[in-house]
Amino acid sequence: MFSHAPVDPDATAAYGDHPDQVIDFYAPREGSGPGGPAPVVVVLHGGVWRAPYDRRHISPFAEFVARHGFAVASVEYRRGGDGDGVAGRWPDTLDDVAAALDALPAFVRELLPQADPRRTVLTGHSAGGQLALWGAARHVLPAGSPWRTPVPAALRGVVALAPIADFAVADKLDVCGGGVRQFLGGDEYFSERQPYADPALLLPTGIATTLVQGRSDLDVPQAVAEAYADAAAKAGEVVGLTLLEEVGHFPLIDPAADACAVVVEEIEQLAW
């Protein structure tokens, strides 16, 4: 990916009993931002929902965002089992993201007193982009879904980075070695569970959404983001799609890359 050492958070809070049910918090760095209460940026890391990839790899990005005047909450969640290479745990991964988002406002008030939880933006990279889009769409989940909320989340918006945003297209392209099909539990569950997890089927959300995508991304190709934007348009919703020339998958979360600065600009446009 890139060679940055992990950055320790300013605080960590548990939203459940499992070791992966934690959120890291990064306070806005002094002298950054326009002043006043800082918006909150919720970060959901990628890694194909697989166990080896945890929030540590996105911690340099989280700290980079904090240096631009934001309070940052980086969410960990349960992923596929160690050693078996399977993507995600159903329903544990989605259980965790829902629980973390529900617990977040109280944690922000306690641990980030300089932050304004009314100005919250969700962002996520790759599989985390799917989770960010899903987290903003819980109010349009099918009736009876355990994760459904009665009203939309109080968000300023979503900035999804190279997201696995359309499961049908991602599956057709075999994104991340069949990750989508594994995430839903295998072939026998794909059609049954897709309506509960596929962002492209959870539209319109009524929440401002921007996708940032590298045109040279070989891990999650541009076609996946474009399919989500097309699905949104068909549902009567305008979704921003920022395409970056000669940018691959990881520069979007690499503080040393120009693409990462573009990501922060997109967050700023929604947060302020």
Side-chain angles (χ1 to χ4, degrees):
M1 286 187 282
F2 46 79
S3 56
H4 299 294
V7 180
D8 291 332
D10 298 309
T12 300
Y15 62 87
D17 296 330
H18 191 277
D20 286 334
Q21 293 174 318
V22 294
I23 306 173
D24 285 345
F25 294 93
Y26 297 80
R29 300 314 184 221
E30 295 215 5
S32 62
V40 178
V41 177
V42 183
V43 174
L44 291 151
H45 71 81
V48 208
W49 312 282
R50 289 180 175 136
Y53 310 104
D54 64 13
R55 69 195 187 283
R56 297 291 285 168
H57 82 268
I58 209 168
S59 61
F61 171 79
E63 199 270 339
F64 181 75
V65 175
R67 279 193 272 129
H68 284 77
F70 297 99
V72 179
S74 182
V75 176
E76 191 57 276
Y77 50 88
R78 286 174 286 180
R79 305 171 306 287
D82 286 307
D84 59 14
V86 173
R89 293 195 210 177
W90 188 279
D92 299 355
T93 300
L94 297 181
D95 283 347
D96 286 359
V97 173
L101 294 177
D102 290 345
L104 196 61
F107 284 141
V108 169
R109 287 191 292 271
E110 176 188 355
L111 299 173
L112 296 170
Q114 64 277 73
D116 181 0
R118 296 169 300 176
R119 293 181 176 274
T120 297
V121 173
L122 291 186
T123 191
H125 177 243
S126 196
Q130 177 268 331
L131 295 173
L133 294 167
W134 178 87
R138 289 168 61 198
H139 60 292
V140 295
L141 283 167
S145 167
W147 309 297
R148 184 180 168 105
T149 56
V151 296
L155 297 171
R156 296 303 299 264
V158 181
V159 179
L161 315 176
I164 303 178
D166 184 303
F167 280 10
V169 173
D171 184 59
K172 182 179 179 180
L173 297 175
D174 195 33
V175 165
C176 300
V180 167
R181 200 158 283 264
Q182 291 173 19
F183 177 59
L184 295 179
D187 294 349
E188 64 270 36
Y189 293 110
F190 187 89
S191 297
E192 174 189 336
R193 292 175 174 173
Q194 186 183 4
Y196 294 87
D198 184 349
L201 301 183
L202 300 172
L203 291 161
T205 66
I207 293 172
T209 300
T210 297
L211 312 186
V212 183
Q213 174 73 43
R215 286 190 180 272
S216 301
D217 192 331
L218 301 179
D219 296 278
V220 182
Q222 177 180 330
V224 180
E226 289 178 331
Y228 178 85
D230 289 346
K234 289 175 184 174
E237 192 158 76
V238 177
V239 165
L241 178 56
T242 299
L243 298 172
L244 303 180
E245 299 290 342
E246 298 181 7
V247 169
H249 194 58
F250 292 103
L252 300 176
I253 59 166
D254 182 350
D258 291 342
C260 199
V262 173
V263 168
V264 172
E265 289 173 2
E266 296 288 358
I267 293 171
E268 287 172 344
Q269 288 186 28
L270 294 178
W272 292 106

